[in-house]
Amino acid sequence: MTEAVIEVAIIFIKVVVLGFILFSLPLPLTWIERKIAGHIQVRLGPFRVGPHGILQPFADMVKMLFKEDVIPEQADRFLFRVAPIISMVPVFMVFVAIPFGESWTIPFINKEVTLYVADMNVGLLYILAISGVAVYGIILGGWASNSKYALLGGLRSSAQMISYEVALTFACIGVVMLASSLNLIDIVKTQTGGLTNWNVFYLPVGPLWFIIFFIAGLAEINRIPFDLPEDEGTLAAGFHVEYSGIRFAYFMLAEYIAMVSMSVLAVVLFFGGWDDPTGLGFLPPIVWFLLKVGFFIYLFMWIRFTLPRYRYDQLMSIGWKILIPLSLLNILVTGWMII
Amino acid sequence: MKEKKKEGVLDILKKVLFVDILKGLSVTVKYNVSRSVTIRYPDEEKWIPYQRFRGAHTLNKTEDGKELCVACELCVKACPTKCITVVPEEDDTGRGIADRVPKVWKVDLVRCLFCGYCEDACPTTAVRLGREYELACFSRDDAVREKERLLKPQEVPEGFEGGVVVSAKFERTKEGIRVKPDIWKPKDKNWWKKV
């Protein structure tokens, strides 16, 4: 009986800690993104609030909280309120299945805790399914605003998701075939033991899986060069054009957490998770994991300030004419290689 | 009809290996680690304009402290916006270089268009357009500058060449805020011109 209570308590604590970290992650991320944007454009970025502008996100947060929360007169009031939450909740739910490491022994009481909330046998399936739900927030937000720009943003988003979700899933199938498991911990375990065991270096198909996954992932989380749902050049701000204040902050929060989850997924599926590439073990596995995730977050931001946005028809032709056939071919080749 | 250009094998290979995207990424990462061109204006740095700059007016004095202005009112005549007011008076105490000196010499900077005709008209080079460019104020009356203020020595002396960014200090006093430049501490902000 007491064991069960302790187990439940540990899970509860893990969820609270994870939730707290995820809620506070966008604060440093917005600052980092604006700094990277600034330095890539030979500017300084935020500089006046705190040393090197480090307190800027807090100032932004206070501003967001105190802004008037406008709901357009013609909007569908219920859906308009619910949409930001629908887009935010699934990206948090994704992290339930993500392993950050194997286990960790708490010092002093010698209690071993696993570094994941739930060890799911169908972890990858769960993640792909749940992250697909997030798009409903964008579609509903676009539709409920009763504005042309927002509706177009929502429509684009749904079309984009349909075309890229397929490629994303196909890219994951190769990894699943290799590990013969949907469990993310098993997938990482098959990659342990140095660089050459990482899925991305499973030649010749590994790099291709990763490139397809990465491009589809960029489209999935609406980042430049595929951020057509919020294309500010043609749609003002796309699906969140009518949102303001804290509801707008929810969408931004969802976007940043989605970026983190995509980075984590890329690391877990292709870059060996918490595997130490040097094999020397001078850094704990969780540090390696975070370093890799950090690199991917930087990569997403770096790409954002390098590439222009693709046109809508280009987006569609990349998705349907290149990525999906290529990923199908890739699965075929992987099958041959395994046999 | 425009004929579609045929792609060679090399072009396709370039596309497959993302050569152009990688080139772009390498350019941006170079800029990411390079120095920034931002002038941190009110806090740390300030731009000192060239000598040819036409900012707020200033009235010059001779080296022994006599007012150069002889209140001839040529600047008033030359001014296209009629923003200068001069009232002459007689004063033989040696205040000016002549017996005729201005009782009132004021300029309304709201109406002034900084054309510099007053400088050109002035026979004694008393009125000059200086290098002060922070002209914001809280009321229209504040924008009218009287003789007493204009006679004060300029923050940047006339002989200083200018065209540089110098380190500065942001000062908050009861009279208002100002950015005090230290003109002998120039900062190199032209590195990007050589890139």
Side-chain angles (χ1 to χ4, degrees), chain A residues 265-306:
Chain A
L265 219 54
V267 169
V268 166
L269 293 180
F270 299 99
F271 284 81
W274 50 87
D275 182 40
D276 179 358
T278 58
L280 299 172
F282 56 89
L283 284 176
I286 184 82
V287 175
W288 277 111
F289 185 79
L290 293 178
L291 276 178
K292 290 173 191 173
V293 172
F295 171 75
F296 272 100
I297 289 171
Y298 177 73
L299 191 62
F300 279 127
M301 292 176 177
W302 182 11
I303 284 174
R304 172 168 178 189
F305 296 104
T306 303

mmCIF file of all heavy atoms in Angstrom, chain A residues 265-306:
data_model
loop_
_atom_site.group_PDB
_atom_site.id
_atom_site.type_symbol
_atom_site.label_atom_id
_atom_site.label_comp_id
_atom_site.label_asym_id
_atom_site.label_seq_id
_atom_site.Cartn_x
_atom_site.Cartn_y
_atom_site.Cartn_z
ATOM 1 N N LEU A 265 12.530 15.103 -29.951
ATOM 2 C CA LEU A 265 12.201 13.929 -30.757
ATOM 3 C C LEU A 265 13.334 13.618 -31.741
ATOM 4 O O LEU A 265 13.710 12.461 -31.922
ATOM 5 C CB LEU A 265 10.903 14.205 -31.516
ATOM 6 C CG LEU A 265 9.945 13.050 -31.644
ATOM 7 C CD1 LEU A 265 9.633 12.469 -30.287
ATOM 8 C CD2 LEU A 265 8.670 13.504 -32.324
ATOM 9 N N ALA A 266 13.890 14.658 -32.350
ATOM 10 C CA ALA A 266 14.996 14.450 -33.281
ATOM 11 C C ALA A 266 16.173 13.815 -32.562
ATOM 12 O O ALA A 266 16.823 12.901 -33.079
ATOM 13 C CB ALA A 266 15.414 15.773 -33.902
ATOM 14 N N VAL A 267 16.438 14.273 -31.335
ATOM 15 C CA VAL A 267 17.563 13.730 -30.577
ATOM 16 C C VAL A 267 17.297 12.278 -30.201
ATOM 17 O O VAL A 267 18.162 11.410 -30.358
ATOM 18 C CB VAL A 267 17.820 14.591 -29.322
ATOM 19 C CG1 VAL A 267 18.790 13.893 -28.391
ATOM 20 C CG2 VAL A 267 18.353 15.931 -29.719
ATOM 21 N N VAL A 268 16.076 12.005 -29.734
ATOM 22 C CA VAL A 268 15.767 10.650 -29.280
ATOM 23 C C VAL A 268 15.773 9.677 -30.461
ATOM 24 O O VAL A 268 16.320 8.577 -30.363
ATOM 25 C CB VAL A 268 14.400 10.626 -28.563
ATOM 26 C CG1 VAL A 268 13.909 9.215 -28.379
ATOM 27 C CG2 VAL A 268 14.515 11.314 -27.227
ATOM 28 N N LEU A 269 15.196 10.078 -31.573
ATOM 29 C CA LEU A 269 15.046 9.139 -32.677
ATOM 30 C C LEU A 269 16.329 8.971 -33.478
ATOM 31 O O LEU A 269 16.613 7.879 -33.956
ATOM 32 C CB LEU A 269 13.932 9.602 -33.614
ATOM 33 C CG LEU A 269 12.523 9.586 -33.052
ATOM 34 C CD1 LEU A 269 11.556 10.064 -34.101
ATOM 35 C CD2 LEU A 269 12.138 8.198 -32.596
ATOM 36 N N PHE A 270 17.090 10.051 -33.651
ATOM 37 C CA PHE A 270 18.204 9.967 -34.601
ATOM 38 C C PHE A 270 19.573 10.198 -33.984
ATOM 39 O O PHE A 270 20.564 9.775 -34.531
ATOM 40 C CB PHE A 270 17.993 10.976 -35.731
ATOM 41 C CG PHE A 270 16.752 10.725 -36.509
ATOM 42 C CD1 PHE A 270 15.606 11.434 -36.259
ATOM 43 C CD2 PHE A 270 16.737 9.739 -37.466
ATOM 44 C CE1 PHE A 270 14.455 11.187 -36.968
ATOM 45 C CE2 PHE A 270 15.594 9.480 -38.190
ATOM 46 C CZ PHE A 270 14.446 10.196 -37.943
ATOM 47 N N PHE A 271 19.640 10.912 -32.868
ATOM 48 C CA PHE A 271 20.954 11.255 -32.335
ATOM 49 C C PHE A 271 21.267 10.567 -31.017
ATOM 50 O O PHE A 271 21.979 11.095 -30.182
ATOM 51 C CB PHE A 271 21.088 12.774 -32.228
ATOM 52 C CG PHE A 271 21.326 13.420 -33.553
ATOM 53 C CD1 PHE A 271 20.274 13.673 -34.401
ATOM 54 C CD2 PHE A 271 22.605 13.716 -33.981
ATOM 55 C CE1 PHE A 271 20.488 14.240 -35.644
ATOM 56 C CE2 PHE A 271 22.836 14.279 -35.216
ATOM 57 C CZ PHE A 271 21.770 14.533 -36.055
ATOM 58 N N GLY A 272 20.701 9.403 -30.844
ATOM 59 C CA GLY A 272 21.103 8.577 -29.720
ATOM 60 C C GLY A 272 20.661 9.026 -28.351
ATOM 61 O O GLY A 272 21.195 8.555 -27.351
ATOM 62 N N GLY A 273 19.697 9.919 -28.264
ATOM 63 C CA GLY A 273 19.168 10.325 -26.967
ATOM 64 C C GLY A 273 20.251 10.800 -26.024
ATOM 65 O O GLY A 273 20.983 11.729 -26.332
ATOM 66 N N TRP A 274 20.374 10.112 -24.873
ATOM 67 C CA TRP A 274 21.360 10.522 -23.869
ATOM 68 C C TRP A 274 22.680 9.780 -24.044
ATOM 69 O O TRP A 274 23.505 9.758 -23.149
ATOM 70 C CB TRP A 274 20.802 10.298 -22.471
ATOM 71 C CG TRP A 274 20.230 8.931 -22.290
ATOM 72 C CD1 TRP A 274 20.890 7.824 -21.916
ATOM 73 C CD2 TRP A 274 18.878 8.535 -22.504
ATOM 74 N NE1 TRP A 274 20.052 6.761 -21.881
ATOM 75 C CE2 TRP A 274 18.810 7.166 -22.232
ATOM 76 C CE3 TRP A 274 17.714 9.238 -22.906
ATOM 77 C CZ2 TRP A 274 17.602 6.461 -22.357
ATOM 78 C CZ3 TRP A 274 16.539 8.536 -23.018
ATOM 79 C CH2 TRP A 274 16.491 7.156 -22.743
ATOM 80 N N ASP A 275 22.882 9.185 -25.204
ATOM 81 C CA ASP A 275 24.117 8.431 -25.447
ATOM 82 C C ASP A 275 25.303 9.383 -25.553
ATOM 83 O O ASP A 275 25.225 10.444 -26.176
ATOM 84 C CB ASP A 275 23.969 7.629 -26.738
ATOM 85 C CG ASP A 275 25.211 6.807 -26.995
ATOM 86 O OD1 ASP A 275 25.754 6.248 -26.030
ATOM 87 O OD2 ASP A 275 25.640 6.729 -28.160
ATOM 88 N N ASP A 276 26.408 8.993 -24.932
ATOM 89 C CA ASP A 276 27.613 9.814 -24.913
ATOM 90 C C ASP A 276 28.454 9.481 -26.149
ATOM 91 O O ASP A 276 28.975 8.373 -26.262
ATOM 92 C CB ASP A 276 28.376 9.488 -23.617
ATOM 93 C CG ASP A 276 29.661 10.269 -23.501
ATOM 94 O OD1 ASP A 276 29.975 11.024 -24.434
ATOM 95 O OD2 ASP A 276 30.325 10.121 -22.472
ATOM 96 N N PRO A 277 28.610 10.419 -27.100
ATOM 97 C CA PRO A 277 29.334 10.069 -28.335
ATOM 98 C C PRO A 277 30.813 9.838 -28.117
ATOM 99 O O PRO A 277 31.461 9.151 -28.892
ATOM 100 C CB PRO A 277 29.087 11.287 -29.239
ATOM 101 C CG PRO A 277 28.756 12.392 -28.311
ATOM 102 C CD PRO A 277 28.095 11.775 -27.128
ATOM 103 N N THR A 278 31.390 10.422 -27.046
ATOM 104 C CA THR A 278 32.819 10.245 -26.841
ATOM 105 C C THR A 278 33.137 8.922 -26.146
ATOM 106 O O THR A 278 34.224 8.392 -26.270
ATOM 107 C CB THR A 278 33.387 11.380 -25.984
ATOM 108 O OG1 THR A 278 32.685 11.387 -24.733
ATOM 109 C CG2 THR A 278 33.220 12.726 -26.651
ATOM 110 N N GLY A 279 32.138 8.383 -25.399
ATOM 111 C CA GLY A 279 32.361 7.126 -24.694
ATOM 112 C C GLY A 279 33.236 7.260 -23.472
ATOM 113 O O GLY A 279 33.649 6.267 -22.887
ATOM 114 N N LEU A 280 33.574 8.486 -23.076
ATOM 115 C CA LEU A 280 34.457 8.674 -21.926
ATOM 116 C C LEU A 280 33.684 8.858 -20.629
ATOM 117 O O LEU A 280 34.183 8.546 -19.555
ATOM 118 C CB LEU A 280 35.358 9.898 -22.162
ATOM 119 C CG LEU A 280 36.282 9.801 -23.368
ATOM 120 C CD1 LEU A 280 36.967 11.136 -23.619
ATOM 121 C CD2 LEU A 280 37.331 8.721 -23.152
ATOM 122 N N GLY A 281 32.470 9.374 -20.749
ATOM 123 C CA GLY A 281 31.621 9.495 -19.564
ATOM 124 C C GLY A 281 32.022 10.587 -18.611
ATOM 125 O O GLY A 281 31.827 10.461 -17.413
ATOM 126 N N PHE A 282 32.615 11.685 -19.140
ATOM 127 C CA PHE A 282 32.937 12.777 -18.222
ATOM 128 C C PHE A 282 31.753 13.708 -17.998
ATOM 129 O O PHE A 282 31.795 14.563 -17.137
ATOM 130 C CB PHE A 282 34.163 13.563 -18.715
ATOM 131 C CG PHE A 282 34.040 14.112 -20.103
ATOM 132 C CD1 PHE A 282 33.491 15.359 -20.299
ATOM 133 C CD2 PHE A 282 34.465 13.381 -21.206
ATOM 134 C CE1 PHE A 282 33.372 15.877 -21.564
ATOM 135 C CE2 PHE A 282 34.342 13.894 -22.474
ATOM 136 C CZ PHE A 282 33.791 15.154 -22.666
ATOM 137 N N LEU A 283 30.698 13.536 -18.781
ATOM 138 C CA LEU A 283 29.483 14.306 -18.543
ATOM 139 C C LEU A 283 28.347 13.327 -18.293
ATOM 140 O O LEU A 283 28.289 12.274 -18.931
ATOM 141 C CB LEU A 283 29.144 15.166 -19.764
ATOM 142 C CG LEU A 283 29.974 16.431 -20.002
ATOM 143 C CD1 LEU A 283 29.566 17.091 -21.296
ATOM 144 C CD2 LEU A 283 29.817 17.401 -18.853
ATOM 145 N N PRO A 284 27.456 13.639 -17.358
ATOM 146 C CA PRO A 284 26.316 12.731 -17.150
ATOM 147 C C PRO A 284 25.416 12.705 -18.387
ATOM 148 O O PRO A 284 25.361 13.677 -19.150
ATOM 149 C CB PRO A 284 25.600 13.348 -15.945
ATOM 150 C CG PRO A 284 26.145 14.710 -15.792
ATOM 151 C CD PRO A 284 27.484 14.745 -16.418
ATOM 152 N N PRO A 285 24.715 11.573 -18.590
ATOM 153 C CA PRO A 285 23.905 11.412 -19.806
ATOM 154 C C PRO A 285 22.896 12.522 -20.024
ATOM 155 O O PRO A 285 22.705 12.968 -21.151
ATOM 156 C CB PRO A 285 23.178 10.085 -19.571
ATOM 157 C CG PRO A 285 23.952 9.383 -18.543
ATOM 158 C CD PRO A 285 24.692 10.391 -17.746
ATOM 159 N N ILE A 286 22.305 13.025 -18.918
ATOM 160 C CA ILE A 286 21.267 14.049 -19.081
ATOM 161 C C ILE A 286 21.854 15.310 -19.679
ATOM 162 O O ILE A 286 21.214 16.010 -20.470
ATOM 163 C CB ILE A 286 20.561 14.317 -17.724
ATOM 164 C CG1 ILE A 286 19.409 15.318 -17.860
ATOM 165 C CG2 ILE A 286 21.520 14.823 -16.670
ATOM 166 C CD1 ILE A 286 18.145 14.687 -18.344
ATOM 167 N N VAL A 287 23.149 15.594 -19.370
ATOM 168 C CA VAL A 287 23.796 16.783 -19.931
ATOM 169 C C VAL A 287 23.981 16.621 -21.428
ATOM 170 O O VAL A 287 23.743 17.546 -22.212
ATOM 171 C CB VAL A 287 25.142 17.040 -19.224
ATOM 172 C CG1 VAL A 287 25.871 18.191 -19.876
ATOM 173 C CG2 VAL A 287 24.918 17.345 -17.765
ATOM 174 N N TRP A 288 24.401 15.390 -21.832
ATOM 175 C CA TRP A 288 24.523 15.136 -23.267
ATOM 176 C C TRP A 288 23.195 15.336 -23.967
ATOM 177 O O TRP A 288 23.123 15.964 -25.027
ATOM 178 C CB TRP A 288 25.021 13.714 -23.519
ATOM 179 C CG TRP A 288 26.494 13.605 -23.421
ATOM 180 C CD1 TRP A 288 27.203 12.965 -22.457
ATOM 181 C CD2 TRP A 288 27.454 14.192 -24.305
ATOM 182 N NE1 TRP A 288 28.539 13.115 -22.677
ATOM 183 C CE2 TRP A 288 28.722 13.855 -23.803
ATOM 184 C CE3 TRP A 288 27.358 14.963 -25.447
ATOM 185 C CZ2 TRP A 288 29.888 14.278 -24.432
ATOM 186 C CZ3 TRP A 288 28.508 15.385 -26.069
ATOM 187 C CH2 TRP A 288 29.764 15.038 -25.558
ATOM 188 N N PHE A 289 22.147 14.833 -23.326
ATOM 189 C CA PHE A 289 20.815 14.961 -23.898
ATOM 190 C C PHE A 289 20.446 16.429 -24.085
ATOM 191 O O PHE A 289 20.034 16.860 -25.161
ATOM 192 C CB PHE A 289 19.818 14.269 -22.958
ATOM 193 C CG PHE A 289 18.426 14.209 -23.474
ATOM 194 C CD1 PHE A 289 18.083 13.255 -24.417
ATOM 195 C CD2 PHE A 289 17.473 15.087 -23.032
ATOM 196 C CE1 PHE A 289 16.793 13.194 -24.895
ATOM 197 C CE2 PHE A 289 16.185 15.029 -23.510
ATOM 198 C CZ PHE A 289 15.846 14.076 -24.448
ATOM 199 N N LEU A 290 20.671 17.224 -23.027
ATOM 200 C CA LEU A 290 20.294 18.631 -23.102
ATOM 201 C C LEU A 290 21.156 19.387 -24.105
ATOM 202 O O LEU A 290 20.672 20.284 -24.800
ATOM 203 C CB LEU A 290 20.399 19.281 -21.719
ATOM 204 C CG LEU A 290 19.380 18.765 -20.700
ATOM 205 C CD1 LEU A 290 19.587 19.425 -19.365
ATOM 206 C CD2 LEU A 290 17.964 19.005 -21.195
ATOM 207 N N LEU A 291 22.430 19.006 -24.202
ATOM 208 C CA LEU A 291 23.307 19.656 -25.184
ATOM 209 C C LEU A 291 22.794 19.430 -26.592
ATOM 210 O O LEU A 291 22.730 20.345 -27.411
ATOM 211 C CB LEU A 291 24.732 19.101 -25.066
ATOM 212 C CG LEU A 291 25.625 19.727 -24.006
ATOM 213 C CD1 LEU A 291 26.975 19.036 -23.994
ATOM 214 C CD2 LEU A 291 25.796 21.207 -24.259
ATOM 215 N N LYS A 292 22.419 18.176 -26.862
ATOM 216 C CA LYS A 292 21.921 17.870 -28.209
ATOM 217 C C LYS A 292 20.632 18.631 -28.491
ATOM 218 O O LYS A 292 20.461 19.192 -29.574
ATOM 219 C CB LYS A 292 21.675 16.370 -28.342
ATOM 220 C CG LYS A 292 22.950 15.546 -28.367
ATOM 221 C CD LYS A 292 22.595 14.080 -28.317
ATOM 222 C CE LYS A 292 23.807 13.215 -28.063
ATOM 223 N NZ LYS A 292 23.424 11.820 -27.846
ATOM 224 N N VAL A 293 19.747 18.645 -27.480
ATOM 225 C CA VAL A 293 18.478 19.368 -27.674
ATOM 226 C C VAL A 293 18.760 20.852 -27.907
ATOM 227 O O VAL A 293 18.172 21.480 -28.800
ATOM 228 C CB VAL A 293 17.553 19.168 -26.461
ATOM 229 C CG1 VAL A 293 16.344 20.063 -26.563
ATOM 230 C CG2 VAL A 293 17.110 17.732 -26.373
ATOM 231 N N GLY A 294 19.695 21.389 -27.130
ATOM 232 C CA GLY A 294 20.052 22.792 -27.293
ATOM 233 C C GLY A 294 20.573 23.085 -28.682
ATOM 234 O O GLY A 294 20.219 24.101 -29.289
ATOM 235 N N PHE A 295 21.373 22.163 -29.205
ATOM 236 C CA PHE A 295 21.874 22.362 -30.561
ATOM 237 C C PHE A 295 20.726 22.431 -31.554
ATOM 238 O O PHE A 295 20.708 23.284 -32.445
ATOM 239 C CB PHE A 295 22.831 21.230 -30.951
ATOM 240 C CG PHE A 295 23.200 21.271 -32.412
ATOM 241 C CD1 PHE A 295 24.101 22.211 -32.873
ATOM 242 C CD2 PHE A 295 22.616 20.408 -33.307
ATOM 243 C CE1 PHE A 295 24.419 22.270 -34.215
ATOM 244 C CE2 PHE A 295 22.927 20.461 -34.653
ATOM 245 C CZ PHE A 295 23.838 21.396 -35.105
ATOM 246 N N PHE A 296 19.737 21.545 -31.385
ATOM 247 C CA PHE A 296 18.628 21.553 -32.339
ATOM 248 C C PHE A 296 17.794 22.817 -32.218
ATOM 249 O O PHE A 296 17.330 23.357 -33.224
ATOM 250 C CB PHE A 296 17.757 20.315 -32.175
ATOM 251 C CG PHE A 296 18.261 19.190 -33.001
ATOM 252 C CD1 PHE A 296 19.018 18.194 -32.436
ATOM 253 C CD2 PHE A 296 18.024 19.164 -34.363
ATOM 254 C CE1 PHE A 296 19.528 17.176 -33.200
ATOM 255 C CE2 PHE A 296 18.521 18.150 -35.128
ATOM 256 C CZ PHE A 296 19.276 17.151 -34.551
ATOM 257 N N ILE A 297 17.625 23.299 -30.983
ATOM 258 C CA ILE A 297 16.860 24.539 -30.819
ATOM 259 C C ILE A 297 17.600 25.678 -31.515
ATOM 260 O O ILE A 297 17.006 26.492 -32.217
ATOM 261 C CB ILE A 297 16.647 24.825 -29.326
ATOM 262 C CG1 ILE A 297 15.649 23.808 -28.768
ATOM 263 C CG2 ILE A 297 16.133 26.224 -29.106
ATOM 264 C CD1 ILE A 297 15.515 23.842 -27.286
ATOM 265 N N TYR A 298 18.940 25.693 -31.357
ATOM 266 C CA TYR A 298 19.714 26.718 -32.049
ATOM 267 C C TYR A 298 19.549 26.576 -33.557
ATOM 268 O O TYR A 298 19.395 27.563 -34.278
ATOM 269 C CB TYR A 298 21.194 26.633 -31.667
ATOM 270 C CG TYR A 298 22.031 27.635 -32.419
ATOM 271 C CD1 TYR A 298 21.962 28.979 -32.097
ATOM 272 C CD2 TYR A 298 22.836 27.242 -33.467
ATOM 273 C CE1 TYR A 298 22.686 29.915 -32.790
ATOM 274 C CE2 TYR A 298 23.568 28.176 -34.173
ATOM 275 C CZ TYR A 298 23.493 29.506 -33.832
ATOM 276 O OH TYR A 298 24.211 30.424 -34.531
ATOM 277 N N LEU A 299 19.552 25.316 -34.024
ATOM 278 C CA LEU A 299 19.430 25.082 -35.462
ATOM 279 C C LEU A 299 18.106 25.623 -35.990
ATOM 280 O O LEU A 299 18.054 26.258 -37.049
ATOM 281 C CB LEU A 299 19.549 23.579 -35.737
ATOM 282 C CG LEU A 299 19.694 23.155 -37.188
ATOM 283 C CD1 LEU A 299 20.963 23.718 -37.781
ATOM 284 C CD2 LEU A 299 19.695 21.655 -37.304
ATOM 285 N N PHE A 300 17.028 25.384 -35.239
ATOM 286 C CA PHE A 300 15.720 25.895 -35.665
ATOM 287 C C PHE A 300 15.757 27.414 -35.777
ATOM 288 O O PHE A 300 15.233 28.001 -36.727
ATOM 289 C CB PHE A 300 14.635 25.473 -34.672
ATOM 290 C CG PHE A 300 14.138 24.064 -34.872
ATOM 291 C CD1 PHE A 300 14.114 23.163 -33.825
ATOM 292 C CD2 PHE A 300 13.674 23.660 -36.105
ATOM 293 C CE1 PHE A 300 13.656 21.871 -34.001
ATOM 294 C CE2 PHE A 300 13.208 22.373 -36.289
ATOM 295 C CZ PHE A 300 13.208 21.475 -35.237
ATOM 296 N N MET A 301 16.380 28.060 -34.786
ATOM 297 C CA MET A 301 16.419 29.528 -34.806
ATOM 298 C C MET A 301 17.331 30.034 -35.911
ATOM 299 O O MET A 301 17.038 31.008 -36.598
ATOM 300 C CB MET A 301 16.913 30.032 -33.454
ATOM 301 C CG MET A 301 15.919 29.766 -32.350
ATOM 302 S SD MET A 301 16.562 30.259 -30.782
ATOM 303 C CE MET A 301 15.156 29.898 -29.756
ATOM 304 N N TRP A 302 18.439 29.320 -36.082
ATOM 305 C CA TRP A 302 19.420 29.686 -37.098
ATOM 306 C C TRP A 302 18.754 29.632 -38.475
ATOM 307 O O TRP A 302 18.887 30.565 -39.285
ATOM 308 C CB TRP A 302 20.553 28.682 -36.971
ATOM 309 C CG TRP A 302 21.736 28.841 -37.857
ATOM 310 C CD1 TRP A 302 22.048 29.899 -38.645
ATOM 311 C CD2 TRP A 302 22.776 27.884 -38.011
ATOM 312 N NE1 TRP A 302 23.227 29.660 -39.283
ATOM 313 C CE2 TRP A 302 23.696 28.440 -38.914
ATOM 314 C CE3 TRP A 302 23.027 26.617 -37.467
ATOM 315 C CZ2 TRP A 302 24.845 27.756 -39.296
ATOM 316 C CZ3 TRP A 302 24.164 25.953 -37.842
ATOM 317 C CH2 TRP A 302 25.069 26.515 -38.748
ATOM 318 N N ILE A 303 18.007 28.564 -38.733
ATOM 319 C CA ILE A 303 17.334 28.428 -40.013
ATOM 320 C C ILE A 303 16.296 29.525 -40.178
ATOM 321 O O ILE A 303 16.136 30.094 -41.252
ATOM 322 C CB ILE A 303 16.704 27.025 -40.131
ATOM 323 C CG1 ILE A 303 17.797 26.008 -40.410
ATOM 324 C CG2 ILE A 303 15.646 26.975 -41.226
ATOM 325 C CD1 ILE A 303 17.335 24.594 -40.407
ATOM 326 N N ARG A 304 15.624 29.861 -39.076
ATOM 327 C CA ARG A 304 14.583 30.884 -39.173
ATOM 328 C C ARG A 304 15.131 32.195 -39.701
ATOM 329 O O ARG A 304 14.478 32.885 -40.466
ATOM 330 C CB ARG A 304 13.961 31.092 -37.794
ATOM 331 C CG ARG A 304 13.041 32.262 -37.812
ATOM 332 C CD ARG A 304 12.178 32.377 -36.620
ATOM 333 N NE ARG A 304 11.390 33.588 -36.773
ATOM 334 C CZ ARG A 304 10.638 34.096 -35.841
ATOM 335 N NH1 ARG A 304 10.545 33.502 -34.693
ATOM 336 N NH2 ARG A 304 9.969 35.191 -36.048
ATOM 337 N N PHE A 305 16.354 32.550 -39.286
ATOM 338 C CA PHE A 305 16.877 33.838 -39.711
ATOM 339 C C PHE A 305 17.806 33.718 -40.909
ATOM 340 O O PHE A 305 18.561 34.626 -41.198
ATOM 341 C CB PHE A 305 17.555 34.535 -38.536
ATOM 342 C CG PHE A 305 16.563 34.844 -37.475
ATOM 343 C CD1 PHE A 305 16.492 34.094 -36.330
ATOM 344 C CD2 PHE A 305 15.620 35.827 -37.687
ATOM 345 C CE1 PHE A 305 15.526 34.344 -35.380
ATOM 346 C CE2 PHE A 305 14.654 36.079 -36.747
ATOM 347 C CZ PHE A 305 14.608 35.342 -35.595
ATOM 348 N N THR A 306 17.763 32.560 -41.571
ATOM 349 C CA THR A 306 18.558 32.401 -42.776
ATOM 350 C C THR A 306 17.675 32.302 -44.014
ATOM 351 O O THR A 306 17.947 32.943 -45.025
ATOM 352 C CB THR A 306 19.415 31.124 -42.674
ATOM 353 O OG1 THR A 306 20.215 31.217 -41.515
ATOM 354 C CG2 THR A 306 20.298 30.973 -43.889
#
